[in-house]
Amino acid sequence: MTDLVETAQPAGKTDLGKIAAAAGLAVVLWASSFVAIRSVGHALSPAPLALLRLAVAAVALTVFVLAKGAVRVRLSRKAFLLVAAYAVLWLAAYTVVLNAGERHVDAGTAALLVNLAPLMVAVAAGKFLGEGFSRSLIIGSLVALGGAALIATGATGSNDWAGVLLCLLAAVLYAAGVMVQKVTLRHVDGLTAIWLGCVVGTVVLLPWAPQLIGELQVAPTGAVLGSVYLGVFPTAVGFTAWAYALRRTDAGRLTMVTYAVPAVAVLLSWLLLAETPSAYGLIGGVLCLAGVAISRRR
């Protein structure tokens, strides 16, 4: 995170290693968020949980920015509007919708459905950002999508269709947020973008503050700690690492890496929540990882 305020440079071998490490960290933390949401979602409603998560992330990032002495907020009107747009789409709306969806479906299935977004991003980035459609990207997407379909096949028996539709809506918001963020990072460094994004997202969700206060008074300690974890790690650290990588590589190719999230989420939900994956889930997870590997080939 110490290099996040630097101007983007052409990626060399060292940079590629940093990009891979940042993307991998984001994948693991985001996968853990599906499990954490599933674990604490019974105690806090979707919007209040999103508000607490973003507020914690905003505080954590403010402390980091002040400690680093990286406060350089000189945004043009266009840059601020872009930050606000992706904050509303991805950090606020996506988080609320995902919280609502995970009240109906298990963590692994939610991760699968949300991670249909990379296909949307790859197509949109190829068409609107001029990133094109490489053969490895297309083949990797198809392999990973096949793995996602296998996971879905094994999970359909227990799915609530309201949850499925909510998670699909979350995928649309995710894809739109990535596209807007990619354009935003042409005008703003990654740390400033995610920091201000969390602040804007928190402000947008403030109408639910009274409900959050009421629910916190009766919520178990574990749920509160889980919400704090969501704010510090998957949000503050995870989104900052993602912004670092996204600023330095193609949106379509990088987003393919998130196909690994369902596999990691299935494993974590199995270990931590005793949501045992089916044979379809295990095979599908392997295919998701294979698709990621293929899509990363040049």
Side-chain angles (χ1 to χ4, degrees):
M1 292 171 61
T2 57
D3 298 329
L4 288 172
V5 295
E6 294 179 1
T7 304
Q9 300 291 336
K13 289 184 178 181
T14 301
D15 290 331
L16 288 175
K18 291 181 179 180
I19 291 170
L25 177 62
V27 164
V28 173
L29 291 177
W30 287 351
S32 73
S33 73
F34 288 96
V35 178
I37 291 170
R38 181 72 170 166
S39 177
V40 306
H42 64 282
L44 296 173
S45 301
L49 174 57
L51 171 57
L52 179 56
R53 175 178 179 175
L54 289 179
V56 169
V59 171
L61 287 169
T62 299
V63 171
F64 176 76
V65 167
L66 292 175
K68 184 175 174 56
V71 181
R72 298 183 304 176
V73 184
R74 297 178 182 176
L75 302 184
S76 65
R77 183 172 180 271
K78 178 181 179 180
F80 179 77
L81 289 176
L82 285 170
V83 170
Y86 102 78
V88 171
L89 284 170
W90 196 358
L91 298 176
Y94 161 81
T95 304
V96 173
V97 172
L98 177 60
N99 291 346
E102 286 208 55
R103 288 190 156 201
H104 302 276
V105 298
D106 61 86
T109 301
L112 153 73
L113 294 170
V114 167
N115 279 276
L116 291 175
L119 282 180
M120 305 176 194
V121 173
V123 172
K127 183 173 179 62
F128 298 112
L129 298 184
E131 295 184 1
F133 304 93
S134 68
R135 181 180 299 178
S136 61
L137 185 63
I138 294 172
I139 294 174
S141 298
L142 292 175
V143 172
L145 185 59
L150 273 179
I151 299 175
T153 300
T156 47
S158 60
N159 279 346
D160 183 303
W161 282 104
V164 171
L165 292 176
L166 284 168
C167 288
L168 288 175
L169 175 58
V172 174
L173 293 168
Y174 176 152
V178 169
M179 293 301 298
V180 175
Q181 188 190 39
K182 179 63 177 177
V183 178
T184 303
L185 292 175
R186 296 174 180 173
H187 306 275
V188 187
D189 66 86
L191 180 58
T192 300
I194 187 60
W195 170 43
L196 293 181
C198 286
V199 172
V200 171
T202 301
V203 172
V204 167
L205 294 173
L206 279 179
W208 283 271
Q211 184 180 351
L212 172 61
I213 294 172
E215 293 183 359
L216 284 177
Q217 292 175 349
V218 297
T221 303
V224 177
L225 292 177
S227 302
V228 172
Y229 169 84
L230 283 167
V232 174
F233 293 99
T235 307
V237 178
F239 276 91
T240 303
W242 174 262
Y244 174 88
L246 185 62
R247 185 177 172 87
R248 291 160 173 79
T249 190
D250 293 346
R253 182 176 294 274
L254 178 63
T255 309
M256 290 301 105
V257 176
T258 62
Y259 270 128
V261 170
V264 179
V266 166
L267 178 61
L268 290 176
S269 65
W270 178 30
L271 294 175
L272 301 177
L273 302 179
E275 294 178 341
T276 307
S278 64
Y280 286 107
L282 293 174
I283 297 172
V286 171
L287 284 177
C288 285
L289 293 173
V292 171
I294 294 171
S295 70
R296 294 295 300 171
R297 293 187 63 187
R298 294 192 178 278

